[in-house]
Amino acid sequence: MKLISILLLFTSLSTFAQINLTGNLIDSDGAPIAFANVVLLDVEEGTFKYGTSTDETGNFSFPNVINGDYNFNASFVGYVTLSRKLTLQKNTALNNLTLETDAAQLDAVTIIAEKPTIERKSDRLIFNVENTTLSTGNASQILQSTPGVFEMNGTYTVKGSVAQVYINNKRVYLSNEELEQLLSGYSGENVKSVEVIHNPPARYDAEGGAVINIVTSKNVSLGYKGSLTGKYEIDTFAKYNIGTSQYYKNNWLNVYANYNFNPRKDLTLEESQVGFFNNDGTRSSRWFTDLNSVSRSQSHAFNTIIDININEKNSLSILGYLGLDNGREVDTDVNTLILPQGGTMFSGFNTDSSTGRDATIGSLNLGWNNIMNDNGGTLSVEGSYFFTEVDNAQDFFSTFFDDTQTTSSTNSFNTVGFQDINIFTAKADYLNQIGAYSLSAGLKYSDISSQSKQDFFDTNMGSSIDPSLSDNYSYDEHIYAAYAQLEREWTEWSFTGGLRLEQTDVVGDSETLGLVNSQNYLGFFPNISVTHNLNEKNDLSLSYKRSIERPRYGDLNPFNNFINDNNIESGNPNLQPAFTNKVTLGWTYDYELFVDAYYIYTKGILDNLPFQNNNTNVLTTQSANLNYEFQYSVDATLIKYPTEKWTSLTSVSAFYMENEFKAIQSISENQRLNTTGFFIQTQNLFELSKDGTLNMLIEADYITSILFGSYKYENMLASSIGFSKRLWNDRAILTAKYSDIFLSQNQPFVSRYANQDNRVLTIPETQLVTIGFTYKFGNFRLDNREPEASEELERTGKKTKGL
């Protein structure tokens, strides 16, 4: 009996013996073909069994293959696919397999530059950029070239609403500066399209009135590829960016990794003046200030995604992000001249400030996705953890002089502070098709904890801590959210409707102020959109959306940041959330012309308000809730192809804006401001070579007037011209760009009403000459995979001046 069992065991082992298959691929000249796809398919069903790719020397290996019959396929772009049937019973070597050149494929490879196109749906505009001339840039440049998107100081707006940025439907919770660093590190070749969602469905967070969703390309081929990128740009100072991206995919694992190093030296100039008043309304003096600020930094950013296919219906994803910005130094020299009304001699003071900052930002996201049925039903669950650790210090010294230029006094201090933010989120989303309707529903929980501290030391006479200017501020926020969304399409109609509920519990505690700010509120955020197809060329749509904007953690900190002795920036722990209602009427003609008329009303809108105290001659800019802001607007976007080699995109917006806020330094408690303006954005893409490998992009943006709190921003023209050249059969890309051609991209802000008169002209380095180079290695003709970004850190910073 034992003998029979042993014989059966050996028979079983023989039947399922595992063998090794090796070999190599060469072309007709005998040169190795690197990074080609090699697969083994089931003979009967043609299904995938094993897969790999050749290495740099053209060799491939299949270890531990079960013996049997297979179809063997070897393929690479530009070559005829090699197919043969294999019967594997023992270790086998397939040496010097030759792939023949496919002339038709090689000709097709040269057609690499397509025209960007626009699609219109009931709630969004889709800007398709994959394999277009825009692909030679990065994700940030593509966003700024997207019709209807306006960018300023790292903040993006869509149809008058501040937009939240998502990547593959995952929200990017980063500050403006961190977001710019992340997007600049994404190659444009990874971007498939940009969805400009003016009426976001309920599955998106209620935060923000619009969504910009970057949809990335997917890698469907097996194998490895990578790229090295470098960028050099210069205005006054030079800046560099060096990065690499790595991709690998086999039959169950998909890996993407990216690293960017960005050493920078930036110059910012500001020219400002404040006109102070006497109590009777007459002018008392004018203060003229020139600021020169030099920032040095060397930031690192790591981003990785790992997708694991467990089986046909279940998959896991792991996303990680780490940003390091340690050793940042900002040296600021501020010169202030004071001219009394009717005087001819200046007094004033000079201020030297040195600021150091260390910041570490990271996130980890774990997700599981299950395909429930053949109708597209899915269930996904994910959890995320995010952290921000920032340490900063400022040394400050001022020298005062009288109108004879004689030193009269000095003032000095230093501050030491930190901010630690920890965020945890958990969410579940369900999607299914029920008859003719598409139903989605989900739950989300967010736990946010922020701890901030600043110690203020008066060093003018020794070194002693000033408790009145020091503080320890803690902030805890819990958000419980649930949503449901229903969608249906008919022959001539389509409908989308949803409701999101968010319960928010907040506690903010300031030790110095002795103030505890508790908030508990339930928000209802409906959205609805209806589209009617009039005929083959005309569509009409009507939509409504309610949204919320919560204060950023940096704006809640009650700390003072001194520009000089009479110019202070301060947070506000009493900030409340703002609520926005938006109605949009849209018309689409022949997918070339897109027109929208809309009305936006925001109660308690969050912004920065500058107030000058005419008794103390101090200008304080503080985070605040305005009473309201609203605007009417008509927008139009036109895409045309004047010639086969010319693509023209133009967006125009005409609007009226009005807001009201408490003018705490004026006799009139409430102040109302308004403006009428228009914005135009145009870009023209030209193919300069027959094979599409040399292209030129000319862009220009112009805005007449727009309100940011009490500031009116006027007459800004941005312009650029860029070239891209694909080299070595698409293995490399060389780019060159000249920005702010007319030196007209400065940022003028003016606040003038009642007894307030202050203005500032910011002059950053905008007239840049930029040279970029990308080199691709490995099987670089593989279709791109799907890089995503981490979530949950966007509110960690402060709301900057502007958008």
Side-chain angles (χ1 to χ4, degrees):
M1 194 69 181
K2 285 186 177 179
L3 179 60
I4 294 174
S5 299
I6 293 173
L7 290 174
L8 289 174
L9 177 61
F10 274 104
T11 300
S12 175
L13 291 174
S14 176
T15 302
F16 296 101
Q18 294 182 331
I19 61 179
N20 295 327
L21 172 65
T22 60
N24 69 297
L25 299 180
I26 60 175
D27 61 19
S28 56
D29 296 325
I33 301 177
F35 307 109
N37 291 326
V38 185
V39 297
L40 294 177
L41 306 174
D42 184 270
V43 171
E44 299 296 333
E45 300 179 359
T47 56
F48 175 87
K49 289 297 184 182
Y50 302 95
T52 188
S53 60
T54 58
D55 60 19
E56 295 277 2
T57 61
N59 292 311
F60 63 86
S61 175
F62 290 94
N64 302 323
V65 176
I66 297 176
N67 63 1
D69 295 330
Y70 297 93
N71 281 329
F72 173 90
N73 285 345
S75 62
F76 190 65
V77 175
Y79 296 87
V80 178
T81 299
L82 175 66
S83 300
R84 63 171 59 178
K85 181 178 179 180
L86 293 179
T87 299
L88 301 177
Q89 299 294 340
K90 60 181 181 179
N91 292 343
T92 303
L94 303 175
N95 295 323
N96 295 330
L97 296 177
T98 303
L99 299 188
E100 299 295 333
T101 300
D102 187 338
Q105 283 195 39
L106 287 177
D107 290 341
V109 169
T110 62
I111 306 175
I112 54 179
E114 300 176 359
K115 295 177 173 62
T117 59
I118 297 177
E119 299 176 43
R120 175 65 177 268
K121 294 187 177 181
S122 59
D123 62 350
R124 70 193 63 192
L125 180 146
I126 303 174
F127 187 44
N128 297 300
V129 298
E130 189 173 30
N131 295 325
T132 70
T133 52
L134 294 176
S135 298
T136 59
N138 56 48
S140 174
Q141 293 168 334
I142 290 176
L143 235 58
Q144 295 177 40
S145 298
T146 300
V149 175
F150 177 53
E151 184 273 339
M152 181 179 173
N153 293 340
T155 301
Y156 296 88
T157 61
V158 173
K159 299 188 183 305
S161 299
V162 175
Q164 305 296 337
V165 176
Y166 285 66
I167 298 181
N168 294 326
N169 290 316
K170 292 184 178 292
R171 185 173 168 184
V172 181
Y173 283 76
L174 298 171
S175 69
N176 294 344
E177 184 178 356
E178 294 151 1
L179 174 63
E180 178 62 22
Q181 182 179 346
L182 178 65
L183 295 179
S184 296
Y186 272 135
S187 169
E189 293 193 317
N190 296 335
V191 179
K192 179 181 180 181
S193 61
V194 177
E195 297 179 343
V196 182
I197 310 174
H198 56 83
N199 187 33
R203 66 188 176 93
Y204 291 97
D205 288 348
E207 183 100 14
V211 164
I212 299 173
N213 182 37
I214 301 172
V215 181
T216 60
S217 302
K218 295 183 178 181
N219 181 19
V220 296
S221 300
L222 302 175
Y224 163 80
K225 68 174 183 177
S227 67
L228 291 172
T229 60
K231 183 175 71 173
Y232 170 86
E233 56 184 5
I234 187 169
D235 185 339
T236 303
F237 299 125
K239 308 95 171 50
Y240 308 88
N241 183 281
I242 302 171
T244 181
S245 294
Q246 310 292 322
Y247 307 80
Y248 175 75
K249 179 180 175 68
N250 61 25
N251 57 311
W252 64 274
L253 179 67
N254 201 357
V255 178
Y256 164 80
N258 172 263
Y259 165 72
N260 274 276
F261 175 52
N262 189 21
R264 297 182 63 88
K265 184 177 181 182
D266 295 290
L267 172 68
T268 299
L269 303 176
E270 279 191 1
E271 300 172 359
S272 62
Q273 62 172 286
V274 182
F276 289 104
F277 294 89
N278 298 309
N279 292 333
D280 60 3
T282 60
R283 182 83 61 181
S284 62
S285 62
R286 284 190 180 274
W287 296 44
F288 302 88
T289 300
D290 290 330
L291 178 147
N292 183 308
S293 179
V294 177
S295 172
R296 298 172 178 84
S297 62
Q298 296 190 14
S299 59
H300 304 260
F302 306 85
N303 190 44
T304 185
I305 309 104
I306 302 174
D307 298 324
I308 302 172
N309 294 321
I310 301 173
N311 52 43
E312 293 182 354
K313 293 189 175 182
N314 293 276
S315 61
L316 297 175
S317 65
I318 304 171
L319 294 80
Y321 174 77
L322 180 64
L324 303 175
D325 188 13
N326 297 323
R328 177 184 290 265
E329 297 179 353
V330 181
D331 295 317
T332 305
D333 180 22
V334 186
N335 176 254
T336 300
L337 297 176
I338 303 171
L339 182 64
Q341 182 69 19
T344 59
M345 302 292 290
F346 289 93
S347 60
F349 54 97
N350 296 323
T351 300
D352 292 321
S353 172
S354 177
T355 302
R357 180 178 184 269
D358 293 330
T360 302
I361 300 162
S363 66
L364 178 65
N365 175 277
L366 304 177
W368 167 67
N369 188 72
N370 172 254
I371 300 175
M372 302 171 55
N373 53 51
D374 295 333
N375 294 327
T378 61
L379 175 65
S380 61
V381 179
E382 66 179 64
S384 302
Y385 171 68
F386 315 89
F387 69 90
T388 298
E389 298 176 356
V390 179
D391 296 303
N392 53 71
Q394 181 185 26
D395 289 321
F396 182 99
F397 183 84
S398 291
T399 302
F400 296 83
F401 54 88
D402 58 25
D403 57 11
T404 65
Q405 310 304 299
T406 302
T407 299
S408 57
S409 63
T410 62
N411 183 37
S412 65
F413 64 83
N414 63 58
T415 62
V416 178
F418 72 85
Q419 182 176 40
D420 292 341
I421 301 172
N422 291 278
I423 304 173
F424 170 78
T425 69
K427 61 180 296 191
D429 296 284
Y430 168 80
L431 173 66
N432 205 358
Q433 193 74 25
I434 302 176
Y437 293 89
S438 177
L439 172 67
S440 58
L443 301 170
K444 183 177 181 179
Y445 169 70
S446 301
D447 182 295
I448 300 100
S449 174
S450 172
Q451 187 72 35
S452 306
K453 184 177 181 180
Q454 177 172 287
D455 291 327
F456 184 98
F457 296 90
D458 187 343
T459 60
N460 202 43
M461 299 290 292
S463 180
S464 60
I465 191 169
D466 186 341
S468 66
L469 295 175
S470 303
D471 205 348
N472 192 350
Y473 181 73
S474 62
Y475 178 86
D476 292 290
E477 178 181 280
H478 305 274
I479 302 174
Y480 309 85
Y483 77 88
Q485 184 90 11
L486 198 63
E487 302 178 23
R488 180 174 177 177
E489 292 188 2
W490 293 268
T491 304
E492 296 179 349
W493 293 85
S494 64
F495 167 82
T496 299
L499 177 65
R500 188 179 184 94
L501 280 69
E502 293 190 354
Q503 170 66 37
T504 305
D505 301 329
V506 172
V507 177
D509 185 3
S510 169
E511 286 186 3
T512 297
L513 298 178
L515 176 67
V516 177
N517 181 8
S518 298
Q519 301 176 29
N520 303 95
Y521 54 90
L522 175 63
F524 293 82
F525 304 100
N527 74 90
I528 187 171
S529 180
V530 179
T531 300
H532 178 49
N533 178 241
L534 298 176
N535 50 49
E536 291 184 357
K537 291 191 174 183
N538 291 275
D539 291 333
L540 289 178
S541 64
L542 178 66
S543 64
Y544 166 75
K545 170 74 176 178
R546 187 171 191 261
S547 60
I548 186 174
E549 182 184 5
R550 295 183 177 89
R552 301 184 183 184
Y553 313 127
D555 290 329
L556 291 162
N557 295 341
F559 307 143
N560 291 325
N561 178 38
F562 289 82
I563 309 303
N564 61 23
D565 291 77
N566 85 309
N567 192 340
I568 304 170
E569 294 179 350
S570 175
N572 182 0
N574 294 312
L575 291 176
Q576 303 289 318
F579 295 90
T580 298
N581 291 277
K582 182 177 182 179
V583 179
T584 305
L585 176 64
W587 168 50
T588 300
Y589 175 75
D590 202 25
Y591 286 92
E592 288 187 348
L593 177 63
F594 309 89
V595 180
D596 291 289
Y598 55 89
Y599 169 74
I600 306 173
Y601 180 89
T602 302
K603 182 178 180 180
I605 187 170
L606 294 157
D607 216 318
N608 295 319
L609 291 177
F611 292 114
Q612 62 192 61
N613 187 315
N614 290 292
N615 295 320
T616 62
N617 292 338
V618 173
L619 177 68
T620 301
T621 301
Q622 187 175 50
S623 308
N625 288 102
L626 282 66
N627 296 341
Y628 68 81
E629 181 175 277
F630 73 83
Q631 68 168 289
Y632 302 96
S633 184
V634 177
D635 295 358
T637 298
L638 178 67
I639 179 170
K640 297 293 290 184
Y641 307 98
T643 69
E644 183 180 347
K645 299 288 187 178
W646 178 13
T647 301
S648 177
L649 286 160
T650 303
S651 295
V652 179
S653 177
F655 54 85
Y656 170 82
M657 295 182 67
E658 179 179 301
N659 65 30
E660 183 184 271
F661 55 89
K662 292 183 178 180
I664 58 177
Q665 295 293 345
S666 303
I667 298 176
S668 175
E669 181 180 358
N670 290 326
Q671 180 66 45
R672 187 175 299 171
L673 302 176
N674 63 72
T675 189
T676 301
F678 73 88
F679 168 68
I680 183 169
Q681 176 188 59
T682 181
Q683 53 183 277
N684 292 271
L685 299 92
F686 300 91
E687 295 181 17
L688 302 181
S689 61
K690 292 183 179 180
D691 61 2
T693 60
L694 178 61
N695 300 282
M696 178 175 66
L697 175 63
I698 300 175
E699 298 178 284
D701 300 339
Y702 178 68
I703 188 166
T704 59
S705 177
I706 192 170
L707 291 179
F708 297 119
S710 66
Y711 276 121
K712 184 177 289 188
Y713 179 83
E714 294 182 319
N715 296 322
M716 189 275 291
L717 171 64
S719 54
S720 68
I721 182 171
F723 297 87
S724 64
K725 173 63 178 177
R726 297 178 184 258
L727 305 169
W728 310 327
N729 199 18
D730 200 27
R731 184 175 286 274
I733 303 172
L734 178 65
T735 61
K737 185 177 182 180
Y738 181 47
S739 304
D740 196 9
I741 300 171
F742 304 105
L743 198 58
S744 54
Q745 205 169 325
N746 298 331
Q747 301 171 6
F749 295 91
V750 177
S751 181
R752 179 70 178 94
Y753 63 91
N755 64 345
Q756 303 288 297
D757 181 11
N758 55 86
R759 59 199 67 200
V760 58
L761 175 65
T762 303
I763 311 172
E765 290 182 279
T766 54
Q767 197 168 55
L768 294 163
V769 176
T770 306
I771 304 295
F773 184 75
T774 299
Y775 178 77
K776 295 175 284 186
F777 50 87
N779 193 356
F780 64 92
R781 290 191 180 90
L782 292 178
D783 293 331
N784 288 330
R785 81 179 302 277
E786 184 176 348
E788 301 180 33
S790 55
E791 299 185 29
E792 301 290 353
L793 294 172
E794 190 265 350
R795 288 172 59 212
T796 60
K798 289 177 63 65
K799 188 177 184 71
T800 56
K801 184 192 301 178
L803 297 170

